Amino acid sequence: HRISGMCNRNGEVIGLSMRVGRWFEGNAAMLVDFLLGSDKSILILGEPGSGKTTIVRDAVSVLASRHNVCVVDTSNEIAGDGNIPHPCIGDARRMMVPSLDAQSNVMVECVQNHTPHVMVIDEIGRPREVEAARTVKQRGVRIIASAHGDLRKLLKNKELRGLVGGVETVTLGDKAAKEEAERRSNGGANGQFSKTKAQRMGEPTFDIIVEVRRGEKHEWRITRDAKTAVDAILDGQKYKVESRTRDPQLSIIMFDFAEL
């Protein structure tokens, strides 16, 4: 679905990278309870090549069977290159994006002119798209999207952490700072404390976080409450995840719980 050139210092093409989009029907089955059983917005996180787009592609088909879905297809990765979208997106509509710089504008235009119940974006990677996603959510449209990294790395990314509420630093008084130090160290602060504290700035745009890893396409980690998880991370604590593992031979999905 996409061919990118690799150039030398003179601008001459010396190599090509060819990416082929794949559709595995039923790939989003491990999320079907969230996709069809709730109205929460879902953010899929993972490194490049971990299968985020493949999950999003099948999620579109699942959602389009019941909802008015519109895909903002930045580089035609979800529905392919052509005026007629690939059948993998079912009854969903697709809006092409002329350039990366226009993605945020197309997201807002989609809400204003095409009245979707659900908007799907393959990759959010720039501050203007973070703000556009917040605008879309505030207007009552559910969002399914992907981004690079995992939850902890996302919170360190100044450009993208607004997707999960953002981070701000507040200054504490002496008494509050001592109490905070005592709480974090379980009483062993030894008189040392910091008068600043990082905390979540606002409500997350996405309610559920799905973390996927390269080479582990049948094991996903799901955070049901992004707000609680972000608060725990900023507080220096572990956060709870639900691990879902799929047996592709037996079509069985196994559940487990852990703290990261």
Side-chain angles (χ1 to χ4, degrees):
H1 62 267
R2 187 169 71 195
I3 300 175
S4 302
M6 302 177 69
C7 301
N8 61 17
R9 295 179 179 178
N10 298 322
E12 300 168 334
V13 176
I14 58 173
L16 296 174
S17 292
M18 303 178 67
R19 300 187 63 177
V20 180
R22 291 168 291 179
W23 174 39
F24 296 104
E25 189 172 2
N27 188 46
M30 287 203 286
L31 293 178
V32 71
D33 54 332
F34 296 117
L35 292 172
L36 299 182
S38 77
D39 60 354
K40 295 183 177 181
S41 293
I42 302 173
L43 179 65
I44 301 172
L45 296 175
E47 56 202 341
S50 58
K52 301 184 299 297
T53 304
T54 307
I55 297 170
V56 169
R57 196 174 285 120
D58 193 49
V60 172
S61 178
V62 172
L63 288 165
S65 66
R66 297 192 185 181
H67 302 286
N68 177 3
V69 179
C70 196
V71 178
V72 176
D73 207 356
T74 309
S75 54
N76 296 336
E77 284 203 58
I78 296 179
D81 190 17
N83 292 332
I84 300 176
H86 191 278
C88 69
I89 68 170
D91 294 329
R93 294 172 293 164
R94 187 263 295 269
M95 291 187 68
M96 293 185 180
V97 180
S99 68
L100 288 176
D101 292 337
Q103 178 166 316
S104 57
N105 293 333
V106 174
M107 290 167 64
V108 175
E109 177 191 346
C110 179
V111 175
Q112 293 176 334
N113 297 337
H114 304 289
T115 61
H117 299 153
V118 184
M119 181 186 296
V120 179
I121 310 108
D122 177 43
E123 187 175 310
I124 295 178
R126 288 153 289 274
R128 285 191 297 177
E129 294 155 23
V130 174
E131 186 59 37
R134 183 182 297 114
T135 299
V136 170
K137 178 73 176 294
Q138 290 173 346
R139 296 188 183 189
V141 177
R142 184 185 184 189
I143 308 175
I144 310 296
S146 67
H148 285 156
D150 56 35
L151 185 53
R152 289 186 182 275
K153 291 177 182 177
L154 189 70
L155 284 172
K156 295 178 181 179
N157 188 327
K158 293 182 179 180
E159 293 187 342
L160 298 184
R161 61 193 183 190
L163 295 172
V164 288
V167 179
E168 64 181 359
T169 301
V170 296
T171 302
L172 305 174
D174 289 342
K175 182 179 179 180
K178 290 179 181 179
E179 291 175 350
E180 180 69 14
E182 290 288 335
R183 183 184 65 81
R184 289 198 176 203
S185 61
N186 293 320
N190 297 322
Q192 298 180 353
F193 58 89
S194 172
K195 296 188 70 174
T196 60
K197 177 184 177 182
Q199 67 179 26
R200 180 167 46 83
M201 188 181 301
E203 289 294 313
T205 301
F206 293 90
D207 312 293
I208 296 172
I209 307 296
V210 180
E211 297 178 74
V212 296
R213 291 167 288 183
R214 189 187 295 127
E216 299 181 8
K217 60 183 178 181
H218 297 302
E219 183 177 347
W220 305 347
R221 300 183 304 199
I222 299 172
T223 302
R224 289 175 171 264
D225 187 346
K227 181 164 56 176
T228 301
V230 169
D231 290 345
I233 293 171
L234 295 178
D235 200 32
Q237 308 296 322
K238 294 183 178 181
Y239 64 99
K240 296 180 180 179
V241 298
E242 180 180 315
S243 178
R244 296 189 177 187
T245 305
R246 171 173 50 202
D247 186 328
Q249 302 298 326
L250 301 177
S251 298
I252 295 175
I253 298 175
M254 293 163 282
F255 298 78
D256 197 5
F257 298 90
E259 291 187 339
L260 299 178

